[in-house]
Amino acid sequence: MFAMPPFQALLNAAIPDHEADAFTPPRAEEPRLLDPAVQWFLGGLSHWDAEHFLFIAERGYLYEHNYAFFPLFPVILRGLAETILQPLSGCLTLRGRLLLAVALGNSALFLLSVVALYGLGRVVLQDRRLALVSSLLYCLTPANVFMTAGYSESLFAALTFGGLFLLERGYTFRACLALSIATAARANGLVNVGFLLYLPLQQALSKIWGLRKDNNRHNKCLQYTWIVARLLFTAALGTAVIAFPFLVFQYYGYRVFCTPSLSLEQVSPALIQLAEDKGYRVPDENAPPPLWCLRPLPLLYSHIQDVYWDVGFLRYFQLKQIPNFLLALPMATLGMAAAYMYYRANPTRCLRLGLWDRGANKRPDKPTPGFYSPRVFLYVVHATMLLGFGTFCMHVQVLTRFLSSSSPVPFWISAHLLLLYEPLLQRRSPPTYNKGQQRGTPRTVFLYLPQNPIVHLLSRWKTCSIPTRWILGYFISYWLMGLALHCNFLPWT
């Protein structure tokens, strides 16, 4: 992660930038002493959508399409630039400090997301080896460039994985707060409401099942009432808390554009000229409100996705988009493989929606550790829903970063396949010794993993199995191509 800024700087210098029709606002300040060096070293991290986040952090929300980017990440960047990096203001403009904040902040957030993913894997998978390998694979995520560039992916992943870890451990209120903050970073944080609705429902059904032998009807009725009331309260409150940042931000956008109080005389002429050249809408108290304000449900986010990004059901299904479908194919394949393999291993559980596992003796089945654990069901459903929505309703190439920052399943299934099919990672045990046996001569070497299994595999690439080469080849090739293409304004995921 820390090697990426210098690596992308070399690639950015070696490959000419593509002339892309991307958002490029005029600079607010003249460069200072260190700005050229920072721009050379970190400029590749400010391309494509990163420019929106930097613009918002520097000048606030102005253009209508800026509101597609939620405020938490720009607020963090501005906070870092005005606090920790404030001593550099004499030799760096605000934009230069914001670029430094991107590199430092996202590096720290990515490390937090790795720790959160490992903790979540330990709790859900109940398999330390699988949790470790999946976390190491996540460090080589195919969406790596978006985890370091000026995007909110690392922030969202850290909050989402951390919130789900807290929820799995039973810290419902803290989990709600974390998932609510995640919604302030990305709109798809709303989908996490499903976890808060499902897990309490599963626990409630388990408690109701445990009361079946209680012969006291009055006591049983009271307990049923309490369980249902608590479930409804938790679901309603949790949904409201998680959705609150999204609703507040939509209301803010509505007030800015539908009841504007800003006059164009208050905006920089250079920004007004850019709006005229590109057709960007700016709030103006002297202009009529946009048409979306008159809709029964005036959501600015939906309007932006429809008009500016042309996002909609099956809109991307065109012959010219075949390369983008191919670009998303590896991540889509991992998602489909996870759903298929989990269903094949647990058809009955899937048909019961994972709400209970009962054998013929009406006792809970013994939990299965690993990817086929009962607790993985909800995460597979979540990943499958994201995969379906991303394929049919979004720009399909963003599936790679969309799933990588929202779901642990692509990394769990990849680690599962590595441990299943790679002989070099077959279970090994620490050396054991007989009485009187010298410590230099181990009796057996089974069930033991090397300290870093991924490095172990890469150092023995020629002897790796074909599934291992496909999985690691995909992760590493996208890791490298992402840096080379994104940092030079070339289309990527």
Side-chain angles (χ1 to χ4, degrees), residues 229-293:
R230 184 176 179 180
L231 172 65
L232 294 175
F233 176 77
T234 302
L237 181 61
T239 301
V241 170
I242 292 177
F244 181 73
F246 177 85
L247 297 175
V248 169
F249 189 56
Q250 296 311 297
Y251 177 72
Y252 173 70
Y254 175 85
R255 290 296 303 270
V256 168
F257 283 95
C258 301
T259 58
S261 59
L262 180 70
S263 174
L264 294 184
E265 288 76 15
Q266 301 171 254
V267 183
S268 165
L271 297 179
I272 294 297
Q273 186 62 48
L274 178 65
E276 293 176 357
D277 294 342
K278 296 292 186 178
Y280 301 152
R281 181 183 289 276
V282 179
D284 182 8
E285 61 181 358
N286 299 315
L291 293 178
W292 64 265
C293 293

Side-chain angles (χ1 to χ4, degrees), residues 56-107:
I56 295 166
E58 186 175 8
R59 305 196 190 208
Y61 286 92
L62 177 63
Y63 303 121
E64 188 178 58
H65 65 292
N66 289 149
Y67 286 77
F69 305 92
F70 279 47
L72 182 59
F73 186 59
V75 167
I76 291 175
L77 293 183
R78 186 60 179 259
L80 290 174
E82 298 289 8
T83 54
I84 297 175
L85 300 176
Q86 181 61 32
L88 299 176
S89 59
C91 51
L92 270 179
T93 61
L94 176 57
R95 179 180 172 84
R97 284 180 279 135
L98 288 172
L99 273 177
L100 277 179
V102 164
L104 296 175
N106 269 348
S107 295

Side-chain angles (χ1 to χ4, degrees), residues 190-201:
L190 288 172
V191 182
N192 292 329
V193 169
F195 289 96
L196 198 66
L197 297 177
Y198 180 90
L199 291 176
L201 174 61

Side-chain angles (χ1 to χ4, degrees), residues 118-131 168-169 367-371 373-376 412 427:
Y118 176 72
L120 180 63
R122 288 289 302 272
V123 173
V124 175
L125 302 171
Q126 295 293 306
D127 187 332
R128 181 176 177 274
R129 298 165 69 253
L130 187 56
E168 290 284 355
R169 292 294 302 271
T368 305
F371 182 73
S373 166
R375 302 175 81 166
V376 176
W412 287 350
R427 290 185 174 272

Side-chain angles (χ1 to χ4, degrees), residues 13 48 53 66 69 100-101 113 116 126 144 164 189 194 197 291 302 304 308 317 383 407 418-419 421 440 475 477 487:
W48 294 110
F53 286 110
N66 289 149
F69 305 92
L100 277 179
S113 68
Q126 295 293 306
N144 74 303
L164 295 178
L197 297 177
L291 293 178
S302 300
I304 294 170
Y308 288 93
F317 279 67
S407 171
L418 287 181
L419 293 172
Y421 293 112
F475 276 68
S477 62
C487 296

Side-chain angles (χ1 to χ4, degrees), residues 142 327-336 387 399-400 403-404 410-411 474:
L327 196 62
L329 184 61
M331 182 57 70
T333 302
L334 285 177
M336 291 186 291
L387 175 60
L399 267 180
T400 303
L403 280 175
S404 295
F411 308 101
Y474 163 54

